[in-house]
Amino acid sequence: MKEYGVEIQWAARYQYEQGGSLRMHAHSFYQIIYFIDGKGTFTLDGEPYSIAPGIFFFIKPHIQHGFTPHSSSVNKTLDLKFQICQPELVNLVQLLPGALADEGQEIRLLLECIRNEGLHKRAFFSPLAALSLLQLIYRLARRQEELTDTSAVLPSSPTLTYEPQEAAKQVELFVQTHYAEQLSLHEIAAHLGYDKSYLSRVFRHNYGCTFSQYVRQLRIVKARALMVDSTYNLKEIAERAGFKTIYHFNRVFKELEGISPGGWRAREQEGVRKDVYFEQV
């Protein structure tokens, strides 16, 4: 992996026992701790932060960190440990804050991709995992740069734009909010004030897939999160993720994941607290 500027060492998904904590400590590598669920206080370099689902911490080498849960809380995390080998990347991540919030679960999805590559070790798993980590780092860096760009001027009120990237982003945000409902590009175009054919073209150009493919993929991502984080049965999960029937959910899930939802859930539950080590290459 070093040729990509990063070296992933270890990944895991943890479910701490009720009241389980992480003692204060530091180490010589980078770490990301992402909270899937739970409440408590995370201390990073002497500063306390509230724990909540979707909050994650980008921990740099030799920084003291740990957490204490609320007494009744069961904390669930995704963890990743890695090294950064390129000076340019080291300088880039130095600008990142330690405590961050996920937006649309894009960071969680990338962490899950990295863990799954290491868990199953299919062909080219190592470079694919490294590329997912690079994507994660650059997404965070872009977000930070946009937040600190003082030259950006925000409009006083929302205005219609035909700039393709903005139009595609509006569709994405609408789908992220309404994925559990029945969606059609025709209705979204009417709601946003765009031509349907125009939205179809710019969405595919910007996201590399059709609107329908994106909706299916997003619903599967949401269903996977529910299968890991909740006790809902598969029928309830299918409904909450936006599928009309359990049969439709089963078909789409197997088509995209190569395994039935029940089989996937059983496999993932077996993997909780399983440390995933990456081969050194």
Side-chain angles (χ1 to χ4, degrees):
M1 292 183 204
K2 289 184 178 179
E3 63 266 33
Y4 298 97
V6 295
E7 185 177 358
I8 301 172
Q9 299 174 329
W10 173 91
R13 183 192 294 129
Y14 280 119
Q15 178 171 317
Y16 290 82
E17 299 295 333
Q18 184 172 337
S21 63
L22 180 66
R23 65 176 179 80
M24 293 296 297
H25 67 291
H27 38 62
S28 61
F29 46 82
Y30 292 87
Q31 183 174 12
I32 295 173
I33 300 179
Y34 183 109
F35 283 86
I36 298 171
D37 199 6
K39 296 179 180 179
T41 300
F42 195 99
T43 302
L44 181 66
D45 201 18
E47 293 292 328
Y49 299 91
S50 295
I51 293 170
I55 297 296
F56 65 100
F57 297 89
F58 195 104
I59 303 160
K60 294 154 191 172
H62 311 296
I63 298 297
Q64 288 282 331
H65 60 281
F67 74 81
T68 54
H70 288 179
S71 59
S72 59
S73 177
V74 175
N75 286 293
K76 301 177 182 179
T77 65
L78 279 168
D79 293 29
L80 182 69
K81 297 178 182 178
F82 57 97
Q83 296 285 5
I84 298 179
C85 314
Q86 287 184 354
E88 295 84 357
L89 281 176
V90 171
N91 293 334
L92 189 66
V93 300
Q94 284 301 112
L95 302 175
L96 298 179
L100 301 118
D102 200 1
E103 297 177 359
Q105 293 196 330
E106 64 175 359
I107 302 303
R108 175 176 177 173
L109 180 58
L110 289 168
L111 290 171
E112 291 279 16
C113 286
I114 294 168
R115 176 180 171 273
N116 286 335
E117 290 294 345
L119 183 63
H120 304 299
K121 291 183 170 60
R122 298 168 61 188
F124 308 113
F125 78 91
S126 185
L128 285 170
L131 290 171
S132 290
L133 177 54
L134 286 175
Q135 185 179 1
L136 185 155
I137 289 171
Y138 280 111
R139 282 182 179 273
L140 293 179
R142 180 170 64 183
R143 183 197 303 179
Q144 186 64 18
E145 183 172 317
E146 290 173 348
L147 287 173
T148 56
D149 185 4
T150 56
S151 65
V153 179
L154 296 176
S156 57
S157 61
T159 57
L160 181 64
T161 173
Y162 277 86
E163 198 280 317
Q165 289 183 336
E166 177 62 22
K169 186 65 176 178
Q170 287 189 44
V171 176
E172 180 198 18
L173 292 174
F174 189 93
V175 174
Q176 289 278 354
T177 304
H178 300 278
Y179 66 89
E181 305 168 17
Q182 296 306 307
L183 297 173
S184 76
L185 189 56
H186 176 78
E187 292 176 352
I188 293 174
H191 177 79
L192 298 177
Y194 288 102
D195 176 73
K196 176 189 172 184
S197 298
Y198 171 78
L199 277 189
S200 179
R201 290 195 306 271
V202 299
F203 191 88
R204 183 160 192 163
H205 176 76
N206 282 274
Y207 291 92
C209 62
T210 67
F211 169 79
S212 296
Q213 289 170 335
Y214 179 84
V215 172
R216 290 202 317 163
Q217 291 166 356
L218 177 63
R219 285 171 171 165
I220 291 300
V221 168
K222 300 296 185 180
R224 282 167 40 186
L226 287 170
M227 284 194 283
V228 170
D229 304 337
S230 76
T231 58
Y232 295 126
N233 62 43
L234 293 179
K235 185 176 184 296
E236 291 173 315
I237 288 171
E239 293 172 351
R240 288 173 178 270
F243 291 94
K244 292 181 180 180
T245 67
I246 184 65
Y247 307 106
H248 184 218
F249 172 52
N250 286 337
R251 180 175 61 78
V252 174
F253 194 96
K254 191 165 186 178
E255 179 183 333
L256 295 182
E257 299 292 331
I259 188 174
S260 69
W264 188 93
R265 190 178 212 177
R267 186 184 70 186
E268 291 301 302
Q269 288 173 344
E270 290 175 0
V272 173
R273 299 196 65 85
K274 180 177 181 179
D275 296 340
V276 178
Y277 292 93
F278 286 74
E279 296 176 0
Q280 302 300 311
V281 296

